[in-house]
Amino acid sequence: MVKAVVLGAAGGIGQPLALLLKANPLVTELGLFDIVNTPGVAADLSHIATPAKVEGYLPADDGLAKALKGADVVVIPAGVPRKPGMTRDDLFKINAGIIKDLATGIAKAAPNAFVLVISNPVNSTVPIVAEVFKKFGTFDPKRLFGVTTLDVVRASTFVSEILGDLSLSKGVVVPVVGGHSGVTIVPLLSQSTHALPSSLDKSAYDALVNRIQFGGDEVVKAKNGAGSATLSMAYAGAEFAAKVIRAVRGEKGLVTPTYVNLSADAEGASDLTKELGEELAYFSANVELGVEGVVKISPLGKISEDEATLVKAAIPELAKNIQTGVTFVAEAYKTEEPRL
């Protein structure tokens, strides 16, 4: 029996994500929460012939706690999508308070759930969730994940395009490390399961890296003010959630990049920190999943000079993003006290 919960289930990511989770035969219960429209989304999904029983809740009458009751996996796509001209700082100012409130709800109603954060900017929102959990005494670094799967999906797709065969895309695996925005996204193309063409020159390589790093901008521009990456993000979020569900049900050997608190695996973190040459609290790396969540954080391994340069450029931005999330919660609790 697996109960999955989507917080922000009526939004552009939330609805298709909820649909994909409803279609997952391992999900037996699906709880949906948002500030509007959730009962209608739940009613619509409930007609689909799959095992999951669906219920939708609004904020009134303690809806968040009801949605979260008994949750095994909580996925958070809630918040405002990025629009043209909006910086990630702008996005943080809008979404930080939303994430803090939802994290408080999880700490109270589902402290043992696996929490998967999609809401941007992930580099900062994951630390917000962690800091809230720490205040409530419920923080387990093995159970908190930033969903970076979209970067991996994009890398697989774009590499298969360069290879001239999109049918390869499901088999192309490119580790993507660092974080989940701009220069913090570091695709390790040298470790791709499918080598890039030897004819690919430096400018084409740089263009590929840039497209993986700033693929979200491509979508925002194409939608012309009507939203950001929602369908691809929902797909990526459902893919990652499915792997977490499979792992917690006992499947072994599942490894995927995800943005985690490095204290989840002290030994792995030590090896990774030596490679980075600097200590960070959070980093996206290949992570082995298991019944307790994070089992092992993998080191970068052998990388190219170009990739080493990208990692070096990512570190100061990541450190800044992490501190932004930590500081936000610290400032918030100067005027309020967390209460269970």
Side-chain angles (χ1 to χ4, degrees):
M1 304 290 287
V2 174
K3 179 175 180 179
V5 176
V6 180
L7 303 182
I13 298 172
Q15 288 201 44
L17 174 60
L19 170 63
L20 292 167
L21 289 173
K22 175 70 168 101
N24 185 328
L26 298 180
V27 176
T28 50
E29 191 174 348
L30 185 58
L32 309 179
F33 176 82
D34 211 323
I35 57 174
V36 294
N37 301 333
T38 349
V41 174
D44 196 358
L45 290 173
S46 70
H47 293 184
I48 298 171
T50 60
K53 178 184 177 182
V54 189
E55 292 184 292
Y57 299 90
L58 296 168
D61 196 26
D62 216 13
L64 178 58
K66 289 178 179 176
L68 289 166
K69 184 178 180 181
D72 298 295
V73 176
V74 179
V75 192
I76 313 177
V80 173
R82 193 156 57 94
K83 297 176 183 177
M86 183 183 285
T87 68
R88 280 177 167 76
D89 286 342
D90 296 333
L91 198 60
F92 177 81
K93 289 173 185 175
I94 297 170
N95 287 342
I98 296 170
I99 301 308
K100 173 181 165 292
D101 290 346
L102 293 176
T104 300
I106 297 167
K108 292 179 177 180
N112 296 316
F114 296 89
V115 180
L116 286 49
V117 181
I118 290 174
S119 306
N120 276 319
V122 166
N123 294 352
S124 300
T125 54
V126 172
I128 287 176
V129 175
E131 293 304 305
V132 170
F133 286 176
K134 288 175 186 178
K135 293 291 184 181
F136 283 92
T138 63
F139 178 57
D140 181 350
K142 293 181 178 294
R143 292 173 177 261
L144 176 60
F145 305 90
V147 180
T148 61
T149 311
L150 182 52
D151 304 322
V152 179
V153 169
R154 284 179 175 143
S156 298
T157 303
F158 301 161
V159 167
S160 66
E161 286 178 355
I162 285 175
L163 294 173
D165 187 356
L166 273 173
S167 70
L168 296 172
S169 58
K170 288 293 284 185
V172 173
V173 179
V174 180
V176 183
V177 302
H180 184 56
S181 67
V183 298
T184 70
I185 298 170
V186 181
L188 301 183
L189 293 162
S190 67
Q191 297 180 13
S192 172
T193 54
H194 294 61
L196 294 170
S198 57
S199 59
L200 195 75
D201 62 21
K202 183 68 163 61
S203 63
Y205 172 86
D206 290 344
L208 172 59
V209 169
N210 184 267
R211 192 179 181 205
I212 295 168
Q213 290 181 323
F214 297 95
D217 294 352
E218 185 177 313
V219 177
V220 169
K221 182 179 178 182
K223 289 192 174 182
N224 196 26
S228 57
T230 53
L231 300 175
S232 54
M233 186 65 250
Y235 170 83
E239 286 281 295
F240 183 70
K243 286 183 179 177
V244 172
I245 290 168
R246 287 160 56 195
V248 300
R249 284 171 54 89
E251 187 173 335
K252 306 286 187 182
L254 290 167
V255 177
T256 185
T258 175
Y259 183 70
V260 293
N261 185 290
L262 296 185
S263 67
D265 171 23
E267 185 177 341
S270 176
D271 293 340
L272 182 59
T273 299
K274 288 175 186 174
E275 291 177 321
L276 297 176
E278 189 166 332
E279 210 166 301
L280 291 169
Y282 297 84
F283 198 81
S284 182
N286 269 337
V287 171
E288 181 182 347
L289 304 172
V291 292
E292 69 270 46
V294 174
V295 173
K296 177 177 173 56
I297 299 171
S298 298
L300 299 178
K302 185 179 179 181
I303 62 175
S304 70
E305 286 185 21
D306 286 334
E307 290 162 354
T309 299
L310 292 171
V311 170
K312 188 175 181 180
I315 289 172
E317 184 68 16
L318 259 178
K320 176 186 169 186
N321 296 162
I322 292 164
Q323 190 57 50
T324 297
V326 172
T327 299
F328 174 81
V329 176
E331 290 296 320
Y333 285 131
K334 283 183 179 178
T335 56
E336 60 179 285
E337 207 42 54
R339 297 182 187 279
L340 279 172

